[in-house]
Amino acid sequence: MKIYKNAVMTDRAFMHFDNIQHISWNYHEDYVEVKVYSGVGNPIIKQISSKDLDKLVNRYAKYTGVELN
């Protein structure tokens, strides 16, 4: 998964952050399974590192204007 300033790209799709409804994840021993949901049906499911998950969530939060305390 490539994580851009305002989009993500996988081997299946390129999705602008505007089209993301929500992101969920599940930690495993060696990877994190991430599901990126949009309004088109099934989520995009990818295995990424916890470092990439942090990058994705931080960029998505910044893009959407979500601020941490």
Side-chain angles (χ1 to χ4, degrees):
M1 176 181 287
K2 284 189 177 182
I3 304 164
Y4 295 92
K5 183 178 176 182
N6 58 357
V8 295
M9 185 174 74
T10 70
D11 53 347
R12 286 186 48 208
F14 183 88
M15 186 181 303
H16 193 274
F17 284 169
D18 283 344
N19 296 322
I20 294 176
Q21 291 180 338
H22 74 277
I23 301 167
S24 66
W25 55 89
N26 193 7
Y27 287 93
H28 296 271
E29 275 188 42
D30 300 333
Y31 64 92
V32 181
E33 181 183 79
V34 175
K35 296 180 181 179
V36 180
Y37 295 84
S38 69
V40 296
N42 294 332
I44 296 171
I45 303 170
K46 293 301 293 181
Q47 295 177 1
I48 63 174
S49 68
S50 58
K51 181 180 176 181
D52 281 344
L53 174 63
D54 289 343
K55 182 178 176 181
L56 172 61
V57 171
N58 287 330
R59 289 196 179 169
Y60 185 66
K62 184 176 182 178
Y63 180 82
T64 58
V66 174
E67 295 182 24
L68 299 174
N69 289 336

